[in-house]
Amino acid sequence: MTASFFPSARRAVLLFAALALAACMSSGTSYTAPIAAGTSQGWALRDVVVTVPGTLEVSESKSIFPKADIVWREDLPGDRRAQVADLLDTAATAGAKRLQGTRPVILRLTVSRFHALTLEAERVLSFSGVHDVEFTAEVRDARSGALLAGPEHIEASIPAMSGEQMIRARIAGQSQRSQISAQVTKVIAGWLGLGPDPRGEFRRLGG
């Protein structure tokens, strides 16, 4: 009886610890306002530059809600800042690809927080957790360096899938990377006036 009870007890303890560390937070997608389409339609994307400052704290803790600025586990162990930069570069490039005007521009993102769920949290939690993604964005003329838009603080956070929901999503071919990337692509397109405005809030137990 003890052996069959232990997994449930351990899960309960982990969930209690998770709930104690987490808070019911208001999060979502936010920025001041979309760039006017009449402005951005004159731009042509030359490059995307993503900076992840070395001052941001990275955690490799195998816990439910590590306290850190950078938490990312789907890639193999390595330079987490470089991995986050690569993910955001690809997603932002996709979001800005419809900039096909005549004035070449560079889209610059400076990350302030990229806190995805740990794999431990993904396994233990159910319908809770947040992928917290925040950065500052600006658009500069590629030739002169003149600032054309921003700097704008953008939050592109989404509710994280966990438990059985994420198991089903993974079977269907999704991942944390694909979900976060899709969100950032949509947010960048919205901020640049290239697509629907995705701003909105949600309340979610997470950290």
Side-chain angles (χ1 to χ4, degrees), residues 158-203:
I158 56 170
M161 291 186 183
S162 55
E164 292 295 327
Q165 183 185 32
M166 190 57 182
I167 290 174
R168 292 192 295 270
R170 288 192 181 280
I171 291 172
Q174 297 182 45
S175 63
Q176 289 187 10
R177 175 182 289 271
S178 69
Q179 293 165 356
I180 295 171
S181 294
Q183 170 71 354
V184 172
T185 294
K186 180 174 65 175
V187 171
I188 289 295
W191 180 62
L192 290 172
L194 301 173
D197 184 354
R199 286 178 296 171
E201 290 189 352
F202 59 85
R203 294 190 66 80

mmCIF file of all heavy atoms in Angstrom, residues 158-203:
data_model
loop_
_atom_site.group_PDB
_atom_site.id
_atom_site.type_symbol
_atom_site.label_atom_id
_atom_site.label_comp_id
_atom_site.label_asym_id
_atom_site.label_seq_id
_atom_site.Cartn_x
_atom_site.Cartn_y
_atom_site.Cartn_z
ATOM 1 N N ILE A 158 2.416 33.778 -23.003
ATOM 2 C CA ILE A 158 1.258 32.930 -23.304
ATOM 3 C C ILE A 158 1.069 31.909 -22.179
ATOM 4 O O ILE A 158 2.033 31.534 -21.501
ATOM 5 C CB ILE A 158 1.409 32.183 -24.646
ATOM 6 C CG1 ILE A 158 2.698 31.357 -24.665
ATOM 7 C CG2 ILE A 158 1.328 33.129 -25.809
ATOM 8 C CD1 ILE A 158 2.783 30.412 -25.853
ATOM 9 N N PRO A 159 -0.170 31.436 -21.989
ATOM 10 C CA PRO A 159 -0.379 30.333 -21.055
ATOM 11 C C PRO A 159 0.396 29.112 -21.539
ATOM 12 O O PRO A 159 0.365 28.773 -22.728
ATOM 13 C CB PRO A 159 -1.894 30.091 -21.111
ATOM 14 C CG PRO A 159 -2.472 31.347 -21.666
ATOM 15 C CD PRO A 159 -1.433 31.893 -22.595
ATOM 16 N N ALA A 160 1.099 28.474 -20.644
ATOM 17 C CA ALA A 160 1.883 27.294 -21.010
ATOM 18 C C ALA A 160 1.016 26.044 -20.901
ATOM 19 O O ALA A 160 0.256 25.885 -19.948
ATOM 20 C CB ALA A 160 3.095 27.171 -20.094
ATOM 21 N N MET A 161 1.136 25.167 -21.869
ATOM 22 C CA MET A 161 0.484 23.867 -21.761
ATOM 23 C C MET A 161 1.299 22.991 -20.813
ATOM 24 O O MET A 161 2.525 23.062 -20.771
ATOM 25 C CB MET A 161 0.379 23.194 -23.121
ATOM 26 C CG MET A 161 -0.571 23.855 -24.077
ATOM 27 S SD MET A 161 -0.765 22.873 -25.594
ATOM 28 C CE MET A 161 -1.848 23.940 -26.534
ATOM 29 N N SER A 162 0.603 22.143 -20.064
ATOM 30 C CA SER A 162 1.285 21.259 -19.130
ATOM 31 C C SER A 162 0.465 19.988 -18.959
ATOM 32 O O SER A 162 -0.667 19.884 -19.442
ATOM 33 C CB SER A 162 1.490 21.956 -17.777
ATOM 34 O OG SER A 162 0.253 22.423 -17.258
ATOM 35 N N GLY A 163 1.053 19.012 -18.287
ATOM 36 C CA GLY A 163 0.351 17.774 -18.001
ATOM 37 C C GLY A 163 -0.134 17.075 -19.260
ATOM 38 O O GLY A 163 0.535 17.055 -20.297
ATOM 39 N N GLU A 164 -1.326 16.483 -19.172
ATOM 40 C CA GLU A 164 -1.882 15.718 -20.286
ATOM 41 C C GLU A 164 -2.095 16.583 -21.529
ATOM 42 O O GLU A 164 -1.964 16.110 -22.657
ATOM 43 C CB GLU A 164 -3.219 15.084 -19.866
ATOM 44 C CG GLU A 164 -3.089 13.994 -18.818
ATOM 45 C CD GLU A 164 -2.329 12.777 -19.351
ATOM 46 O OE1 GLU A 164 -2.443 12.481 -20.555
ATOM 47 O OE2 GLU A 164 -1.624 12.123 -18.557
ATOM 48 N N GLN A 165 -2.413 17.853 -21.308
ATOM 49 C CA GLN A 165 -2.624 18.751 -22.447
ATOM 50 C C GLN A 165 -1.360 18.871 -23.287
ATOM 51 O O GLN A 165 -1.408 18.811 -24.518
ATOM 52 C CB GLN A 165 -3.065 20.129 -21.938
ATOM 53 C CG GLN A 165 -3.389 21.117 -23.052
ATOM 54 C CD GLN A 165 -3.697 22.511 -22.533
ATOM 55 O OE1 GLN A 165 -3.144 22.940 -21.521
ATOM 56 N NE2 GLN A 165 -4.585 23.223 -23.212
ATOM 57 N N MET A 166 -0.206 19.010 -22.626
ATOM 58 C CA MET A 166 1.036 19.149 -23.371
ATOM 59 C C MET A 166 1.486 17.813 -23.961
ATOM 60 O O MET A 166 2.102 17.782 -25.034
ATOM 61 C CB MET A 166 2.129 19.736 -22.477
ATOM 62 C CG MET A 166 3.380 20.144 -23.246
ATOM 63 S SD MET A 166 3.018 21.341 -24.570
ATOM 64 C CE MET A 166 4.651 21.542 -25.299
ATOM 65 N N ILE A 167 1.169 16.713 -23.294
ATOM 66 C CA ILE A 167 1.472 15.400 -23.869
ATOM 67 C C ILE A 167 0.750 15.247 -25.203
ATOM 68 O O ILE A 167 1.344 14.825 -26.211
ATOM 69 C CB ILE A 167 1.069 14.269 -22.899
ATOM 70 C CG1 ILE A 167 2.003 14.261 -21.684
ATOM 71 C CG2 ILE A 167 1.099 12.913 -23.607
ATOM 72 C CD1 ILE A 167 1.594 13.278 -20.602
ATOM 73 N N ARG A 168 -0.513 15.619 -25.228
ATOM 74 C CA ARG A 168 -1.283 15.528 -26.478
ATOM 75 C C ARG A 168 -0.726 16.478 -27.535
ATOM 76 O O ARG A 168 -0.664 16.138 -28.725
ATOM 77 C CB ARG A 168 -2.757 15.828 -26.214
ATOM 78 C CG ARG A 168 -3.472 14.761 -25.376
ATOM 79 C CD ARG A 168 -4.984 14.965 -25.407
ATOM 80 N NE ARG A 168 -5.366 16.213 -24.775
ATOM 81 C CZ ARG A 168 -5.646 16.339 -23.482
ATOM 82 N NH1 ARG A 168 -5.564 15.282 -22.675
ATOM 83 N NH2 ARG A 168 -6.013 17.499 -22.977
ATOM 84 N N ALA A 169 -0.314 17.667 -27.088
ATOM 85 C CA ALA A 169 0.246 18.639 -28.037
ATOM 86 C C ALA A 169 1.548 18.116 -28.644
ATOM 87 O O ALA A 169 1.783 18.264 -29.851
ATOM 88 C CB ALA A 169 0.486 19.976 -27.337
ATOM 89 N N ARG A 170 2.379 17.502 -27.832
ATOM 90 C CA ARG A 170 3.648 16.964 -28.343
ATOM 91 C C ARG A 170 3.401 15.821 -29.320
ATOM 92 O O ARG A 170 4.098 15.712 -30.343
ATOM 93 C CB ARG A 170 4.538 16.522 -27.182
ATOM 94 C CG ARG A 170 5.124 17.686 -26.381
ATOM 95 C CD ARG A 170 6.226 17.222 -25.445
ATOM 96 N NE ARG A 170 6.780 18.312 -24.649
ATOM 97 C CZ ARG A 170 7.676 19.186 -25.103
ATOM 98 N NH1 ARG A 170 8.118 19.089 -26.341
ATOM 99 N NH2 ARG A 170 8.133 20.145 -24.309
ATOM 100 N N ILE A 171 2.429 14.983 -29.019
ATOM 101 C CA ILE A 171 2.083 13.900 -29.945
ATOM 102 C C ILE A 171 1.646 14.474 -31.288
ATOM 103 O O ILE A 171 1.923 13.915 -32.354
ATOM 104 C CB ILE A 171 0.987 13.010 -29.334
ATOM 105 C CG1 ILE A 171 1.544 12.226 -28.138
ATOM 106 C CG2 ILE A 171 0.409 12.048 -30.375
ATOM 107 C CD1 ILE A 171 0.499 11.465 -27.354
ATOM 108 N N ALA A 172 0.979 15.628 -31.237
ATOM 109 C CA ALA A 172 0.512 16.288 -32.463
ATOM 110 C C ALA A 172 1.616 17.071 -33.166
ATOM 111 O O ALA A 172 1.366 17.692 -34.212
ATOM 112 C CB ALA A 172 -0.651 17.217 -32.138
ATOM 113 N N GLY A 173 2.831 17.060 -32.606
ATOM 114 C CA GLY A 173 3.956 17.714 -33.265
ATOM 115 C C GLY A 173 4.295 19.094 -32.744
ATOM 116 O O GLY A 173 5.172 19.765 -33.299
ATOM 117 N N GLN A 174 3.618 19.528 -31.677
ATOM 118 C CA GLN A 174 3.927 20.829 -31.105
ATOM 119 C C GLN A 174 5.025 20.704 -30.045
ATOM 120 O O GLN A 174 5.359 19.610 -29.597
ATOM 121 C CB GLN A 174 2.680 21.443 -30.471
ATOM 122 C CG GLN A 174 1.555 21.732 -31.443
ATOM 123 C CD GLN A 174 0.374 22.377 -30.756
ATOM 124 O OE1 GLN A 174 0.524 23.291 -29.953
ATOM 125 N NE2 GLN A 174 -0.833 21.899 -31.069
ATOM 126 N N SER A 175 5.576 21.835 -29.660
ATOM 127 C CA SER A 175 6.609 21.894 -28.628
ATOM 128 C C SER A 175 6.528 23.261 -27.969
ATOM 129 O O SER A 175 5.806 24.149 -28.436
ATOM 130 C CB SER A 175 7.995 21.694 -29.242
ATOM 131 O OG SER A 175 8.283 22.746 -30.156
ATOM 132 N N GLN A 176 7.268 23.444 -26.888
ATOM 133 C CA GLN A 176 7.359 24.780 -26.316
ATOM 134 C C GLN A 176 7.901 25.749 -27.356
ATOM 135 O O GLN A 176 7.414 26.879 -27.484
ATOM 136 C CB GLN A 176 8.251 24.767 -25.079
ATOM 137 C CG GLN A 176 7.661 24.067 -23.878
ATOM 138 C CD GLN A 176 8.511 24.221 -22.632
ATOM 139 O OE1 GLN A 176 9.461 25.000 -22.600
ATOM 140 N NE2 GLN A 176 8.179 23.475 -21.581
ATOM 141 N N ARG A 177 8.912 25.307 -28.100
ATOM 142 C CA ARG A 177 9.507 26.184 -29.126
ATOM 143 C C ARG A 177 8.466 26.610 -30.153
ATOM 144 O O ARG A 177 8.365 27.797 -30.495
ATOM 145 C CB ARG A 177 10.663 25.477 -29.821
ATOM 146 C CG ARG A 177 11.248 26.281 -30.985
ATOM 147 C CD ARG A 177 12.363 25.532 -31.679
ATOM 148 N NE ARG A 177 13.535 25.481 -30.836
ATOM 149 C CZ ARG A 177 14.491 26.421 -30.826
ATOM 150 N NH1 ARG A 177 14.374 27.491 -31.612
ATOM 151 N NH2 ARG A 177 15.529 26.307 -30.053
ATOM 152 N N SER A 178 7.705 25.669 -30.672
ATOM 153 C CA SER A 178 6.737 26.024 -31.719
ATOM 154 C C SER A 178 5.650 26.944 -31.181
ATOM 155 O O SER A 178 5.208 27.867 -31.874
ATOM 156 C CB SER A 178 6.126 24.758 -32.330
ATOM 157 O OG SER A 178 5.288 24.085 -31.406
ATOM 158 N N GLN A 179 5.222 26.722 -29.942
ATOM 159 C CA GLN A 179 4.165 27.547 -29.370
ATOM 160 C C GLN A 179 4.657 28.964 -29.074
ATOM 161 O O GLN A 179 3.975 29.946 -29.376
ATOM 162 C CB GLN A 179 3.630 26.874 -28.106
ATOM 163 C CG GLN A 179 2.906 25.566 -28.401
ATOM 164 C CD GLN A 179 2.682 24.711 -27.167
ATOM 165 O OE1 GLN A 179 3.130 25.044 -26.067
ATOM 166 N NE2 GLN A 179 1.993 23.596 -27.335
ATOM 167 N N ILE A 180 5.841 29.067 -28.471
ATOM 168 C CA ILE A 180 6.395 30.390 -28.177
ATOM 169 C C ILE A 180 6.731 31.125 -29.469
ATOM 170 O O ILE A 180 6.455 32.323 -29.613
ATOM 171 C CB ILE A 180 7.640 30.274 -27.281
ATOM 172 C CG1 ILE A 180 7.240 29.717 -25.903
ATOM 173 C CG2 ILE A 180 8.330 31.624 -27.127
ATOM 174 C CD1 ILE A 180 8.418 29.353 -25.023
ATOM 175 N N SER A 181 7.299 30.417 -30.431
ATOM 176 C CA SER A 181 7.658 31.043 -31.707
ATOM 177 C C SER A 181 6.428 31.597 -32.415
ATOM 178 O O SER A 181 6.450 32.714 -32.953
ATOM 179 C CB SER A 181 8.370 30.028 -32.617
ATOM 180 O OG SER A 181 9.614 29.646 -32.077
ATOM 181 N N ALA A 182 5.351 30.823 -32.423
ATOM 182 C CA ALA A 182 4.125 31.283 -33.076
ATOM 183 C C ALA A 182 3.591 32.544 -32.406
ATOM 184 O O ALA A 182 3.119 33.477 -33.081
ATOM 185 C CB ALA A 182 3.076 30.176 -33.051
ATOM 186 N N GLN A 183 3.671 32.586 -31.081
ATOM 187 C CA GLN A 183 3.214 33.763 -30.352
ATOM 188 C C GLN A 183 4.061 34.989 -30.678
ATOM 189 O O GLN A 183 3.534 36.075 -30.960
ATOM 190 C CB GLN A 183 3.245 33.486 -28.843
ATOM 191 C CG GLN A 183 3.029 34.692 -27.944
ATOM 192 C CD GLN A 183 1.609 35.225 -27.942
ATOM 193 O OE1 GLN A 183 0.754 34.754 -28.709
ATOM 194 N NE2 GLN A 183 1.341 36.203 -27.102
ATOM 195 N N VAL A 184 5.374 34.845 -30.648
ATOM 196 C CA VAL A 184 6.254 35.985 -30.929
ATOM 197 C C VAL A 184 6.078 36.463 -32.366
ATOM 198 O O VAL A 184 6.047 37.674 -32.629
ATOM 199 C CB VAL A 184 7.725 35.609 -30.647
ATOM 200 C CG1 VAL A 184 8.666 36.714 -31.119
ATOM 201 C CG2 VAL A 184 7.935 35.336 -29.159
ATOM 202 N N THR A 185 5.933 35.540 -33.302
ATOM 203 C CA THR A 185 5.694 35.916 -34.700
ATOM 204 C C THR A 185 4.432 36.765 -34.819
ATOM 205 O O THR A 185 4.417 37.812 -35.476
ATOM 206 C CB THR A 185 5.567 34.660 -35.573
ATOM 207 O OG1 THR A 185 6.823 33.971 -35.591
ATOM 208 C CG2 THR A 185 5.183 35.018 -37.000
ATOM 209 N N LYS A 186 3.369 36.328 -34.158
ATOM 210 C CA LYS A 186 2.093 37.051 -34.199
ATOM 211 C C LYS A 186 2.218 38.423 -33.550
ATOM 212 O O LYS A 186 1.681 39.419 -34.071
ATOM 213 C CB LYS A 186 1.024 36.217 -33.485
ATOM 214 C CG LYS A 186 -0.349 36.851 -33.447
ATOM 215 C CD LYS A 186 -1.381 35.888 -32.859
ATOM 216 C CE LYS A 186 -1.094 35.580 -31.397
ATOM 217 N NZ LYS A 186 -2.181 34.736 -30.795
ATOM 218 N N VAL A 187 2.941 38.493 -32.427
ATOM 219 C CA VAL A 187 3.080 39.758 -31.709
ATOM 220 C C VAL A 187 3.909 40.765 -32.509
ATOM 221 O O VAL A 187 3.570 41.952 -32.601
ATOM 222 C CB VAL A 187 3.695 39.526 -30.320
ATOM 223 C CG1 VAL A 187 4.058 40.843 -29.649
ATOM 224 C CG2 VAL A 187 2.720 38.744 -29.439
ATOM 225 N N ILE A 188 5.003 40.310 -33.095
ATOM 226 C CA ILE A 188 5.830 41.209 -33.909
ATOM 227 C C ILE A 188 5.034 41.727 -35.102
ATOM 228 O O ILE A 188 5.070 42.931 -35.425
ATOM 229 C CB ILE A 188 7.106 40.487 -34.383
ATOM 230 C CG1 ILE A 188 8.066 40.255 -33.201
ATOM 231 C CG2 ILE A 188 7.796 41.277 -35.490
ATOM 232 C CD1 ILE A 188 8.623 41.516 -32.585
ATOM 233 N N ALA A 189 4.297 40.849 -35.771
ATOM 234 C CA ALA A 189 3.480 41.284 -36.909
ATOM 235 C C ALA A 189 2.440 42.301 -36.464
ATOM 236 O O ALA A 189 2.207 43.310 -37.146
ATOM 237 C CB ALA A 189 2.814 40.080 -37.562
ATOM 238 N N GLY A 190 1.825 42.077 -35.309
ATOM 239 C CA GLY A 190 0.825 43.016 -34.814
ATOM 240 C C GLY A 190 1.421 44.364 -34.474
ATOM 241 O O GLY A 190 0.856 45.413 -34.808
ATOM 242 N N TRP A 191 2.586 44.363 -33.788
ATOM 243 C CA TRP A 191 3.217 45.627 -33.413
ATOM 244 C C TRP A 191 3.648 46.417 -34.641
ATOM 245 O O TRP A 191 3.548 47.648 -34.669
ATOM 246 C CB TRP A 191 4.429 45.367 -32.516
ATOM 247 C CG TRP A 191 5.126 46.634 -32.105
ATOM 248 C CD1 TRP A 191 4.613 47.657 -31.368
ATOM 249 C CD2 TRP A 191 6.472 47.018 -32.440
ATOM 250 N NE1 TRP A 191 5.550 48.656 -31.216
ATOM 251 C CE2 TRP A 191 6.699 48.289 -31.864
ATOM 252 C CE3 TRP A 191 7.491 46.404 -33.158
ATOM 253 C CZ2 TRP A 191 7.912 48.962 -32.000
ATOM 254 C CZ3 TRP A 191 8.704 47.072 -33.284
ATOM 255 C CH2 TRP A 191 8.895 48.341 -32.709
ATOM 256 N N LEU A 192 4.096 45.719 -35.677
ATOM 257 C CA LEU A 192 4.543 46.396 -36.897
ATOM 258 C C LEU A 192 3.390 46.809 -37.810
ATOM 259 O O LEU A 192 3.623 47.375 -38.881
ATOM 260 C CB LEU A 192 5.495 45.483 -37.676
ATOM 261 C CG LEU A 192 6.864 45.243 -37.037
ATOM 262 C CD1 LEU A 192 7.626 44.169 -37.804
ATOM 263 C CD2 LEU A 192 7.676 46.528 -36.981
ATOM 264 N N GLY A 193 2.160 46.556 -37.405
ATOM 265 C CA GLY A 193 1.015 46.930 -38.232
ATOM 266 C C GLY A 193 0.828 46.036 -39.436
ATOM 267 O O GLY A 193 0.200 46.433 -40.425
ATOM 268 N N LEU A 194 1.336 44.798 -39.344
ATOM 269 C CA LEU A 194 1.274 43.867 -40.473
ATOM 270 C C LEU A 194 0.191 42.807 -40.299
ATOM 271 O O LEU A 194 -0.003 41.966 -41.187
ATOM 272 C CB LEU A 194 2.632 43.165 -40.645
ATOM 273 C CG LEU A 194 3.831 44.075 -40.898
ATOM 274 C CD1 LEU A 194 5.120 43.257 -40.886
ATOM 275 C CD2 LEU A 194 3.677 44.805 -42.229
ATOM 276 N N GLY A 195 -0.468 42.811 -39.174
ATOM 277 C CA GLY A 195 -1.482 41.793 -38.908
ATOM 278 C C GLY A 195 -2.391 42.253 -37.787
ATOM 279 O O GLY A 195 -2.272 43.383 -37.299
ATOM 280 N N PRO A 196 -3.293 41.380 -37.352
ATOM 281 C CA PRO A 196 -4.220 41.740 -36.263
ATOM 282 C C PRO A 196 -3.459 42.139 -35.007
ATOM 283 O O PRO A 196 -2.361 41.639 -34.734
ATOM 284 C CB PRO A 196 -5.015 40.446 -36.043
ATOM 285 C CG PRO A 196 -4.865 39.682 -37.320
ATOM 286 C CD PRO A 196 -3.508 40.020 -37.859
ATOM 287 N N ASP A 197 -4.051 43.039 -34.247
ATOM 288 C CA ASP A 197 -3.474 43.477 -32.980
ATOM 289 C C ASP A 197 -3.753 42.399 -31.930
ATOM 290 O O ASP A 197 -4.908 42.177 -31.557
ATOM 291 C CB ASP A 197 -4.111 44.804 -32.579
ATOM 292 C CG ASP A 197 -3.499 45.403 -31.316
ATOM 293 O OD1 ASP A 197 -2.651 44.739 -30.688
ATOM 294 O OD2 ASP A 197 -3.890 46.532 -30.956
ATOM 295 N N PRO A 198 -2.720 41.706 -31.425
ATOM 296 C CA PRO A 198 -2.965 40.567 -30.524
ATOM 297 C C PRO A 198 -2.995 40.927 -29.045
ATOM 298 O O PRO A 198 -3.010 40.026 -28.201
ATOM 299 C CB PRO A 198 -1.757 39.663 -30.823
ATOM 300 C CG PRO A 198 -0.650 40.647 -31.069
ATOM 301 C CD PRO A 198 -1.298 41.839 -31.758
ATOM 302 N N ARG A 199 -2.992 42.202 -28.706
ATOM 303 C CA ARG A 199 -2.898 42.577 -27.300
ATOM 304 C C ARG A 199 -4.091 42.057 -26.499
ATOM 305 O O ARG A 199 -5.223 42.083 -26.964
ATOM 306 C CB ARG A 199 -2.795 44.096 -27.162
ATOM 307 C CG ARG A 199 -1.437 44.656 -27.549
ATOM 308 C CD ARG A 199 -1.420 46.166 -27.440
ATOM 309 N NE ARG A 199 -2.340 46.792 -28.380
ATOM 310 C CZ ARG A 199 -2.656 48.077 -28.379
ATOM 311 N NH1 ARG A 199 -2.137 48.876 -27.472
ATOM 312 N NH2 ARG A 199 -3.495 48.564 -29.282
ATOM 313 N N GLY A 200 -3.800 41.599 -25.296
ATOM 314 C CA GLY A 200 -4.831 41.092 -24.418
ATOM 315 C C GLY A 200 -4.217 40.489 -23.175
ATOM 316 O O GLY A 200 -3.006 40.223 -23.122
ATOM 317 N N GLU A 201 -5.022 40.283 -22.143
ATOM 318 C CA GLU A 201 -4.549 39.759 -20.877
ATOM 319 C C GLU A 201 -5.175 38.409 -20.580
ATOM 320 O O GLU A 201 -6.231 38.057 -21.090
ATOM 321 C CB GLU A 201 -4.867 40.719 -19.721
ATOM 322 C CG GLU A 201 -4.058 41.996 -19.731
ATOM 323 C CD GLU A 201 -4.265 42.797 -18.452
ATOM 324 O OE1 GLU A 201 -5.159 42.423 -17.648
ATOM 325 O OE2 GLU A 201 -3.529 43.771 -18.238
ATOM 326 N N PHE A 202 -4.487 37.645 -19.734
ATOM 327 C CA PHE A 202 -5.058 36.431 -19.175
ATOM 328 C C PHE A 202 -4.582 36.324 -17.736
ATOM 329 O O PHE A 202 -3.580 36.902 -17.357
ATOM 330 C CB PHE A 202 -4.632 35.190 -19.968
ATOM 331 C CG PHE A 202 -3.147 34.950 -20.036
ATOM 332 C CD1 PHE A 202 -2.479 34.267 -19.024
ATOM 333 C CD2 PHE A 202 -2.402 35.402 -21.122
ATOM 334 C CE1 PHE A 202 -1.104 34.063 -19.075
ATOM 335 C CE2 PHE A 202 -1.031 35.200 -21.189
ATOM 336 C CZ PHE A 202 -0.387 34.512 -20.160
ATOM 337 N N ARG A 203 -5.336 35.593 -16.931
ATOM 338 C CA ARG A 203 -4.939 35.327 -15.558
ATOM 339 C C ARG A 203 -4.617 33.850 -15.467
ATOM 340 O O ARG A 203 -5.398 32.999 -15.851
ATOM 341 C CB ARG A 203 -6.035 35.725 -14.567
ATOM 342 C CG ARG A 203 -6.279 37.223 -14.531
ATOM 343 C CD ARG A 203 -7.197 37.617 -13.380
ATOM 344 N NE ARG A 203 -6.577 37.365 -12.081
ATOM 345 C CZ ARG A 203 -5.686 38.191 -11.523
ATOM 346 N NH1 ARG A 203 -5.303 39.297 -12.146
ATOM 347 N NH2 ARG A 203 -5.167 37.909 -10.323
#
